[in-house]
């Protein structure tokens, strides 16, 4: 419904992107440690013999290429620009990880690599768990610093405004913060005065205006919308 400031978007994208890279590196290392533990009792010597330098370098190169694919797919899912709930984040991450697992397995066979399946699978399972965790961590960090709240002004009839207010409260992951709410009639009857008051309020509060309109429709308020557009204030109609 609303756009975040470019500065907030850049900060959010920067922090989350760095966390994602750290997650992929960590999952690679911990996956390797898990594979050592899995093979410890039975065939550790045989397993270690397959870990020649050239094999490790090639596996690392293949993994980096898959990471780049993952980051691209996550970007396509708007991970770095649009706020999401934890459940939606996990869903998006899971299909990206599934694609990554298939792609890396294909690459391993294509390059005829002798690789550990326990390393491969534990690597991506760890990434699947950590991606939503990293997302929640960065989101909470930005919330505490008030870097990710969208400030909104609710304007309209009491019935419709209260319904939308309940939606904003319930959908807390949408990260809206109500800074002002009022009936449209409280601003007077002059359209230009109403518009100028709302524009001034929106600029002072650095907020987005949401109109909750009664059943009579929006035709009555065209002049108000036109005036707000003229002053480049942000608004939407619920």
């Amino acid at each position: 419904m609303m756009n975040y400031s470019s500065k907030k978007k850049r900060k959010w994208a920067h922090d989350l992107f760095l966390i994602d890279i750290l997650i992929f590196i960590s999952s690679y290392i911990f996956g390797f440690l898990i594979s050592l533990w899995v093979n410890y009792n039975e065939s550790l010597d045989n397993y270690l013999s397959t870990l020649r330098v050239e094999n490790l370098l090639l596996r690392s190169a293949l993994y980096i290429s898959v990471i780049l694919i993952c980051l691209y797919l996550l970007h396509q899912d708007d991970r770095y620009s649009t706020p999401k709930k934890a459940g939606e984040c996990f869903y998006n991450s899971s299909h990206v990880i599934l694609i990554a697992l298939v792609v890396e397995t294909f690459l391993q066979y294509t390059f005829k690599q002798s690789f550990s399946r326990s390393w491969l699978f534990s690597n991506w399972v760890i990434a699947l768990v950590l991606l939503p965790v990293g997302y929640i961590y960065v989101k909470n960090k930005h919330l505490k610093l008030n870097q990710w709240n969208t400030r909104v002004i609710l304007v309209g009839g009491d019935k419709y405004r209260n319904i939308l207010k309940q939606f904003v409260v319930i959908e807390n992951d949408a990260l809206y913060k109500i800074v002002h709410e009022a009936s449209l009639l409280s601003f007077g009857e002059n359209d230009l005065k109403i518009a100028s008051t709302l524009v001034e309020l929106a600029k002072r509060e650095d907020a987005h205006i949401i109109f909750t309109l009664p059943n009579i429709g929006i035709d009555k308020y065209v002049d108000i919308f036109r005036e707000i557009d003229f002053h480049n204030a942000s608004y939407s109609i619920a």
Side-chain angles (χ1 to χ4, degrees), residues 2 15 61 86 125 166 177 231-232:
M2 285 159 282
D15 290 354
V125 168
Q166 288 299 315
K177 180 179 181 181
H231 290 283
N232 296 320

Side-chain angles (χ1 to χ4, degrees), residues 70-130:
C70 287
L71 293 173
Y72 173 76
L73 293 175
L74 291 171
H75 172 69
Q76 291 298 105
D77 282 334
D78 291 331
R79 178 179 174 87
Y80 304 113
S81 59
T82 303
K84 292 179 174 64
K85 293 184 179 180
E88 186 180 358
C89 173
F90 180 81
Y91 172 78
N92 291 340
S93 300
S94 62
H95 84 258
V96 169
I97 293 300
L98 179 60
I99 292 173
L101 181 60
V102 172
V103 170
E104 187 177 7
T105 303
F106 172 78
L107 290 175
Q108 296 283 2
Y109 279 111
T110 300
F111 286 90
K112 299 179 179 179
Q113 278 283 288
S114 175
F115 65 96
S116 167
R117 290 174 178 80
S118 60
W119 185 4
L120 181 67
F121 283 98
S122 59
N123 181 167
W124 291 110
V125 168
I126 292 171
L128 176 61
V129 173
L130 291 183

Side-chain angles (χ1 to χ4, degrees), residues 54-203:
E54 58 270 24
N55 284 345
L56 286 174
L57 289 177
L58 182 56
R59 165 88 211 276
S60 299
L62 295 178
Y63 185 65
I64 290 173
S65 66
V66 178
I67 287 178
L68 294 177
I69 294 174
C70 287
L71 293 173
Y72 173 76
L73 293 175
L74 291 171
H75 172 69
Q76 291 298 105
D77 282 334
D78 291 331
R79 178 179 174 87
Y80 304 113
S81 59
T82 303
K84 292 179 174 64
K85 293 184 179 180
E88 186 180 358
C89 173
F90 180 81
Y91 172 78
N92 291 340
S93 300
S94 62
H95 84 258
V96 169
I97 293 300
L98 179 60
I99 292 173
L101 181 60
V102 172
V103 170
E104 187 177 7
T105 303
F106 172 78
L107 290 175
Q108 296 283 2
Y109 279 111
T110 300
F111 286 90
K112 299 179 179 179
Q113 278 283 288
S114 175
F115 65 96
S116 167
R117 290 174 178 80
S118 60
W119 185 4
L120 181 67
F121 283 98
S122 59
N123 181 167
W124 291 110
V125 168
I126 292 171
L128 176 61
V129 173
L130 291 183
L131 282 174
V133 172
Y135 183 91
I136 293 171
Y137 167 77
V138 175
K139 183 180 74 173
N140 289 338
K141 173 187 172 183
H142 280 243
L143 281 174
K144 289 179 181 179
L145 297 176
N146 292 321
Q147 292 180 335
W148 201 23
N149 295 106
T150 296
R151 300 163 64 83
V152 297
I153 300 170
L154 301 183
V155 180
D158 292 338
K159 175 182 176 182
Y160 300 94
R161 195 174 72 248
N162 288 334
I163 292 175
L164 184 60
K165 184 178 179 180
Q166 288 299 315
F167 170 80
V168 170
V169 171
I170 294 173
E171 296 291 327
N172 190 43
D173 274 347
L175 304 175
Y176 304 148
K177 180 179 181 181
I178 301 174
V179 295
H180 190 83
E181 57 174 310
S183 168
L184 196 60
L185 296 176
S186 66
F187 292 98
E189 297 183 359
N190 185 283
D191 289 346
L192 292 179
K193 183 178 179 182
I194 292 173
S196 62
T197 302
L198 287 173
V199 168
E200 181 182 350
L201 182 62
K203 290 183 177 180

